Amino acid sequence: METMDDIYPEPAGNAGRGRTPLIATCTVLVLLSCCCALGAGLIVTLDPFDWNLVARLTGRYDAAAEAIPAEADVYIGIDLLRLQSADAERVFQAFAERVPGSEFSSTEDFLHDLDEEMERDAGFNLTDDVLPWVGQHAGLGIMNLELDEFGEIDTGEFIFAAAIRDRVAAEAFAVLFEDRIETESGETLQAEEYEGSTIYSLPGYQGSGIAFAIHRGMFLLSPDAAGIRASIDARSGDSFMDTENFSELSGELPREALLTVFASQSALEKLAGSLGQGIPSTSSLYSNVPFLNGALSLSFVAEGIRVDYAVKFDPESLSEPRRQQLDLITSATTIDARLPETTLLFVGGRGLPLAIELAREKMSASERGAFDESLDALEAELGFSLANDLLANLDGEYAIAALPSRDGMLASREIDLGIAVLFETGNPAGLDPVLDGIERLLEDELGTAPDPVDLDGTAFFQVGDPFLGELLAYGVVNDLFLIATSARTAAEVLREGPSLAENPEYQAAGQVLPDRMNRTLYVNVSGLLGAIREGMSSSDRESFDNEIGSALSPIDIIAMGSRLAGPWTRVGTLIFLIPGGSEGDHAR
């Protein structure tokens, strides 16, 4: 076979000379490409020019967080572009159309009212004086945080930072801001130079002082000049955006978040501790939280309103029960297949055998002793062990469900709903002491014995009152311990037929949650409101609509799920579905 060399032979004496420069050139180009790729990779990874390239390339860059010191207890960030998105506009309109007297019908109405309030309180407004220069990101960092007994901020130092997209307009606002402060206080602001920028400050202004500066594309505000200097130092050194708290948890929140909140371990401990103040006997239940940090976000998405959270646990402080509880999150939820298709509300979970140990591990030695004494006294009255007879045998999933019903204590109060609580058990016979104890308790406290009824060939028990009517029904059927507001509600749960898991609305709600999440909450809001309103008188219905119903009417479905993102990070998503969204599109 002839080759190209046979057809066009190389001239004598030049064999190989034409190819050598070509090969050499290609080799050099390949080497240069490799060097460029390696150099680009090193620049992105090492970030020698402090450009935060990794954050920018992954869409996690927050210019305001870069101006907050790394030691901040709390960081609250806002993406101003998201406030004026089409999704946000649709949510505003949905509430305006369906909620009588709604305060806002659009983002424009919201901004208009905010402008009037700012003009009245500060002497300038958002639309004319701030929006012309402010960029995408703004944020508030809080340092040395202290909370009161209600969980509200008692003391703390703050830094506010906002990105600048128009330097001239920002400087004009700074002059306006300076004039406003000096006019109101009758004093002249102090000026000092720091790292090439001028810091203006007035100690004692309105009791706490005020300081501001424009530095490297950011408008900075704090009670004193020290806060501004700390912010400037953060931009060239370690900032909150450089912390593991931000870098790890921001990746678990949706990129389209309007509002994000990050809290350090210290802030979470202070928040938990404040919740226990005023309740000395249980204060330790709220201390020593096993979290390293946590984050929360709010987003307007095509489906409606989305709230996400992420918490990272401290593996060194996790007890064995807590580790077991985390492991349970990875198991798929199946109890929704045991609920009827008509279920309007579903709350599910697992891990009840761990409940007492999880409570005890938070207590001091003295509190643990008091808790055990109280537990012993209660068990003596019940006639069975809560830990060994009850919780130990509720070793599967559990669910709380609401479904339409015209029987039971809720229906007798004109609320056409039945409530059922289901517990899966791997040892039905082990619950016999519990059933005996409940019967004795009813006889001792109510003076009545439960009436046996037949459900699915199994003895069930019904409890009633001559004046209040049917109060509840309970029993163990196959591998379920079931408590319901009526025997008919229990029968509806046990009846064979289409399940909640097969309900199209339930399935659609699950599809808008991020992948691999176990569903922990489902509320058919429109169906639930309808069932509640159905049995009401016209006057009660009108009062209910004015106080509750109309405010919830734009929301069709509420769905929530959670999963583990890595071995120690738990994430969850709560979505309020508003009709008209793109159902089925994943928000992340």
Side-chain angles (χ1 to χ4, degrees):
M1 179 182 295
E2 290 184 325
T3 66
M4 294 298 293
D5 286 342
D6 295 328
I7 299 172
Y8 301 102
E10 190 75 26
N14 290 326
R17 290 184 183 180
R19 297 178 182 176
T20 301
L22 179 60
I23 294 174
T25 301
C26 292
T27 302
V28 170
L29 289 175
V30 170
L31 290 174
L32 285 174
S33 299
C34 292
C35 290
C36 289
L38 179 60
L42 289 174
I43 289 175
V44 170
T45 304
L46 301 178
D47 200 8
F49 305 110
D50 195 28
W51 290 339
N52 282 292
L53 293 174
V54 173
R56 292 177 188 271
L57 291 173
T58 57
R60 303 298 176 185
Y61 179 71
D62 185 335
E66 195 180 16
I68 303 300
E71 62 271 18
D73 291 316
V74 174
Y75 171 70
I76 304 171
I78 183 169
D79 186 332
L80 295 171
L81 290 181
R82 305 296 178 185
L83 184 60
Q84 302 183 58
S85 67
D87 291 331
E89 186 71 23
R90 188 180 65 81
V91 170
F92 276 109
Q93 289 179 352
F95 278 88
E97 292 171 359
R98 303 187 63 178
V99 180
S102 177
E103 189 172 358
F104 309 119
S105 61
S106 65
T107 52
E108 286 76 14
D109 284 351
F110 171 75
L111 292 174
H112 175 73
D113 284 15
L114 184 59
D115 282 342
E116 290 186 341
E117 183 177 349
M118 289 181 66
E119 194 74 52
R120 184 174 55 252
D121 297 339
F124 55 85
N125 65 60
L126 189 69
T127 300
D128 298 328
D129 303 315
V130 178
L131 291 183
W133 61 264
V134 74
Q136 179 178 0
H137 299 109
L140 178 71
I142 304 175
M143 285 69 64
N144 300 318
L145 175 68
E146 295 295 337
L147 302 174
D148 61 20
E149 61 182 313
F150 304 106
E152 298 180 355
I153 296 177
D154 187 15
T155 60
E157 303 166 8
F158 78 85
I159 296 171
F160 173 78
I164 294 173
R165 60 184 175 86
D166 188 325
R167 172 86 183 197
V168 174
E171 290 175 345
F173 172 76
V175 172
L176 175 66
F177 193 48
E178 179 181 0
D179 290 343
R180 171 67 179 176
I181 295 171
E182 291 184 343
T183 299
E184 184 177 289
S185 65
E187 300 181 53
T188 301
L189 274 73
Q190 302 172 7
E192 65 173 273
E193 295 296 318
Y194 188 76
E195 298 295 333
S197 297
T198 303
I199 301 174
Y200 298 92
S201 62
L202 184 60
Y205 176 72
Q206 294 187 347
S208 60
I210 194 168
F212 67 92
I214 292 177
H215 177 76
R216 287 174 51 191
M218 298 294 296
F219 181 85
L220 308 174
L221 179 69
S222 185
D224 52 44
I228 302 297
R229 290 193 293 269
S231 177
I232 291 174
D233 291 341
R235 297 209 66 200
S236 57
D238 291 332
S239 70
F240 191 82
M241 203 177 73
D242 299 320
T243 63
E244 289 187 0
N245 186 353
F246 185 91
S247 61
E248 291 184 355
L249 296 189
S250 64
E252 302 300 337
L253 302 178
R255 295 181 183 181
E256 63 270 25
L258 164 69
L259 181 73
T260 55
V261 180
F262 295 85
S264 66
Q265 183 179 35
S266 172
L268 291 172
E269 288 180 344
K270 290 172 182 176
L271 176 61
S274 70
L275 297 177
Q277 292 183 19
I279 316 175
S281 62
T282 61
S283 60
S284 292
L285 289 173
Y286 299 95
S287 62
N288 301 319
V289 294
F291 306 127
L292 288 174
N293 42 55
L296 186 74
S297 73
L298 171 69
S299 310
F300 293 124
V301 295
E303 296 82 12
I305 303 172
R306 171 172 170 170
V307 178
D308 290 81
Y309 74 85
V311 290
K312 184 175 182 181
F313 289 83
D314 180 5
E316 295 183 1
S317 67
L318 284 180
S319 64
E320 185 57 31
R322 184 73 66 177
R323 291 173 184 267
Q324 294 177 29
Q325 185 188 49
L326 281 180
D327 290 340
L328 292 174
I329 300 174
T330 61
S331 303
T333 300
T334 59
I335 200 168
D336 51 3
R338 311 188 73 152
L339 294 170
E341 185 183 29
T342 55
T343 299
L344 300 174
L345 179 147
F346 159 67
V347 179
R350 50 164 61 87
L352 286 177
L354 306 171
I356 291 180
E357 284 305 311
L358 288 173
R360 291 182 80 255
E361 73 177 25
K362 290 295 181 184
M363 300 179 184
S364 64
S366 59
E367 289 172 332
R368 192 173 299 170
F371 175 79
D372 290 341
E373 289 179 6
S374 299
L375 193 63
D376 290 341
L378 177 61
E379 291 179 344
E381 182 177 354
L382 294 174
F384 61 87
S385 169
L386 288 174
N388 299 326
D389 295 327
L390 180 62
L391 296 180
N393 291 311
L394 305 183
D395 50 359
E397 295 182 53
Y398 64 85
I400 302 171
L403 54 154
S405 175
R406 295 193 175 182
D407 298 285
M409 58 181 179
L410 290 178
S412 67
R413 289 161 178 78
E414 299 184 342
I415 300 176
D416 291 347
L417 284 175
I419 306 296
V421 186
L422 296 72
F423 306 92
E424 292 181 334
T425 174
N427 182 23
L431 291 168
D432 287 344
V434 176
L435 299 179
D436 294 340
I438 292 175
E439 183 175 356
R440 286 194 302 270
L441 184 65
L442 291 171
E443 291 175 347
D444 294 342
E445 297 297 327
L446 298 180
T448 182
D451 297 322
V453 294
D454 182 77
L455 284 183
D456 198 24
T458 304
F460 215 67
F461 301 94
Q462 180 176 289
V463 181
D465 181 88
F467 301 101
L468 299 176
E470 188 175 6
L471 297 178
L472 61 89
Y474 68 94
V476 176
V477 180
N478 299 324
D479 63 340
L480 278 182
F481 178 35
L482 175 60
I483 303 173
T485 51
S486 71
R488 285 194 178 183
T489 297
E492 178 65 17
V493 171
L494 296 172
R495 182 175 60 84
E496 292 186 5
S499 70
L500 176 63
E502 299 170 295
N503 184 317
E505 291 182 314
Y506 180 78
Q507 292 177 345
Q511 289 172 0
V512 302
L513 291 172
D515 292 334
R516 297 180 290 112
M517 277 198 171
N518 277 327
R519 297 177 218 183
T520 56
L521 173 69
Y522 165 79
V523 185
N524 184 327
V525 178
S526 56
L528 192 64
L529 292 177
I532 293 174
R533 295 174 75 254
E534 184 67 25
M536 289 183 173
S537 64
S538 57
S539 59
D540 289 342
R541 186 179 302 141
E542 181 178 357
S543 176
F544 174 79
D545 286 342
N546 289 336
E547 295 178 7
I548 301 174
S550 62
L552 296 176
S553 62
I555 302 170
D556 190 23
I557 300 289
I558 300 174
M560 186 175 185
S562 67
R563 65 179 177 86
L564 283 184
W568 312 117
T569 302
R570 178 173 182 170
V571 299
T573 297
L574 173 65
I575 292 185
F576 301 86
L577 275 72
I578 296 175
S582 302
E583 292 184 1
D585 293 339
H586 287 265
R588 181 183 301 159

